[in-house]
Amino acid sequence: MNPIENYLKCNFKDDMNTIQEVFQVYDQNNDGFLDFEEFFALIKDVFKNGHNTTKSEEISVELVEALLKIFDTDKDEKINLREFADVWRYWLKQVLKPVTALIIVDVQNDFITGSLALKCCPAQQDGASVISPINNLLDTVPFDVVIYSLDWHPGNHISFYDNRSLRPFTPLNKEKSEVDVMDAVEFLGPPKTEQVLWPRHCVQNTEGSKLHPDLKVVKKGIMVNKGTNPDIDSYSAFWDNGKLSQTELVNILVQHHVTDVYICGLAYDICVGFTATHATQHGFRTTFIEDASKGVLMEDMKKTRNKLMNMGVVMADSHQV
């Protein structure tokens, strides 16, 4: 049994004591660094553990050099303990002990058949079409955690077009009588808040706020409500739009030791896209499931796709998961 296999039996703890113990195993000359040869030995053990048929000679020098370059932040061509902690937490953990979460974003009645149905938006996409691929994922992929996010707005929420008179606009905005549904405005605050005005939707405890009845809800599925503050919208399932407060989502993922998140739902260019953005910013390896996500504006969907790909998000269809 190589050292990596031994520590896997400890549920891949990421405390510094464990990290230092593994570091010392590979620091054969006890100089406080992993030089190229020592780092090479680590990489060989990693790939042996993940692929029993892998031979040592199949691990290329180029691969090891590339990995060392990524984690050698002080550019001394060696890995110190601090850098090794990053290797452990941001690479080894994902490679050797992945924990997966499926985040299903806002597959609610109002976005499918209700007041903000996607098929009535400019892209004219049918929100109901995400249900079959999502249900198939739930039936066929053994995700460790399944999370359902829900828009969960109070009746006086800032995003509702019919609430536009409840808060003062900034002087640069046109008169309230001239503002239309889906226009962007700026409320005076404090703080000043940019907001798209949507039809009233997903009001707490209404039929429109419920998950669509055809969507499979697994027994251990976790519900996360967002958009509960009346004075700021929350597209992302992680944060409100001003990043003033966050939901419990990141804590749930951390408590379950999640390394990889798969994200889908409604709408592609808004809530799903923002959730994927924040998942990546929180350090999760992120996959965006495109055929299980539908959007509002085709141009915004293209922009969202390009932005996420530039951030390193994997774009995939459900059959590839």
Side-chain angles (χ1 to χ4, degrees):
M1 178 181 295
N2 69 47
I4 291 295
E5 290 177 305
N6 182 53
Y7 282 95
L8 277 174
K9 293 183 179 295
C10 302
N11 294 319
F12 216 95
K13 297 176 183 177
D14 61 5
D15 62 276
M16 277 306 299
N17 288 336
T18 302
I19 292 170
Q20 186 165 8
E21 286 177 22
V22 178
F23 180 83
Q24 290 172 344
V25 168
Y26 288 96
D27 180 18
Q28 293 291 307
N29 60 7
N30 297 312
D31 67 350
F33 298 93
L34 301 186
D35 59 27
F36 182 82
E37 294 301 324
E38 292 165 338
F39 192 63
F40 205 142
L42 167 70
I43 302 305
K44 287 193 290 187
D45 282 349
V46 169
F47 281 87
K48 282 180 184 177
N49 183 76
H51 306 280
N52 292 330
T53 60
T54 299
K55 298 177 182 179
S56 298
E57 58 267 25
E58 293 176 341
I59 307 301
S60 70
V61 170
E62 290 77 15
L63 170 64
V64 180
E65 288 176 341
L67 289 170
L68 191 146
K69 185 176 181 180
I70 290 170
F71 291 105
D72 176 25
T73 55
D74 61 9
K75 307 305 178 185
D76 62 357
E77 300 184 352
K78 297 179 288 186
I79 298 294
N80 60 36
L81 179 59
R82 177 186 57 79
E83 292 165 339
F84 184 70
D86 289 340
V87 174
W88 184 268
R89 290 175 173 141
Y90 300 116
W91 186 62
L92 288 177
K93 187 176 181 181
Q94 283 86 345
V95 170
L96 297 176
K97 201 71 172 178
V99 179
T100 61
L102 176 64
I103 302 175
I104 302 167
V105 178
D106 300 2
V107 184
Q108 294 165 268
N109 288 328
D110 270 345
F111 298 128
I112 298 174
T113 57
S115 59
L116 192 42
L118 291 191
K119 60 187 176 183
C120 299
C121 293
Q124 298 184 328
Q125 296 195 322
D126 186 1
S129 64
V130 306
I131 294 172
S132 178
I134 293 175
N135 286 349
N136 186 59
L137 285 167
L138 292 170
D139 288 337
T140 59
V141 180
F143 294 103
D144 297 296
V145 184
V146 176
I147 294 167
Y148 302 83
S149 81
L150 298 97
D151 252 5
W152 199 248
H153 298 315
N156 61 341
H157 196 253
I158 194 171
S159 70
F160 297 165
Y161 174 76
D162 57 4
N163 286 340
R164 64 194 184 282
S165 297
L166 299 182
R167 299 166 181 85
F169 286 5
T170 61
L172 296 178
N173 279 123
K174 51 190 173 182
E175 294 298 322
K176 294 178 184 181
S177 60
E178 299 173 340
V179 172
D180 204 353
V181 176
M182 291 185 65
D183 279 351
V185 300
E186 184 179 61
F187 289 105
L188 188 59
K192 289 183 179 179
T193 302
E194 293 183 6
Q195 178 65 52
V196 174
L197 297 177
W198 303 101
R200 179 173 290 266
H201 63 279
C202 298
V203 177
Q204 297 171 6
N205 299 308
T206 63
E207 191 65 26
S209 68
K210 293 180 181 178
L211 294 172
H212 192 278
D214 293 339
L215 179 68
K216 181 175 182 178
V217 179
V218 298
K219 287 184 179 179
K220 293 185 179 180
I222 301 170
M223 304 293 168
V224 173
N225 294 335
K226 63 187 186 68
T228 59
N229 183 341
D231 294 320
I232 192 163
D233 211 349
S234 185
Y235 292 160
S236 169
F238 287 95
W239 289 90
D240 65 49
N241 290 2
K243 272 201 168 183
L244 302 176
S245 63
Q246 59 181 314
T247 70
E248 67 269 35
L249 178 54
V250 72
N251 288 333
I252 292 169
L253 297 176
V254 170
Q255 288 165 9
H256 287 84
H257 308 290
V258 168
T259 60
D260 295 70
V261 297
Y262 296 79
I263 300 175
C264 59
L266 306 174
Y268 185 122
D269 45 329
I270 304 176
C271 296
V272 188
F274 275 73
T275 300
T277 297
H278 289 162
T280 303
Q281 291 174 349
H282 277 294
F284 299 104
R285 192 161 53 181
T286 303
T287 299
F288 188 110
I289 309 173
E290 293 195 274
D291 66 328
S293 305
K294 299 299 175 185
V296 173
L297 290 162
M298 293 301 300
E299 185 61 30
D300 285 355
M301 291 169 65
K302 292 177 184 177
K303 291 177 181 177
T304 297
R305 190 178 200 276
N306 290 335
K307 174 187 173 183
L308 293 175
M309 290 179 67
N310 288 335
M311 294 179 68
V313 173
V314 175
M315 309 301 287
D317 284 337
S318 56
H319 71 275
Q320 298 172 298
V321 174

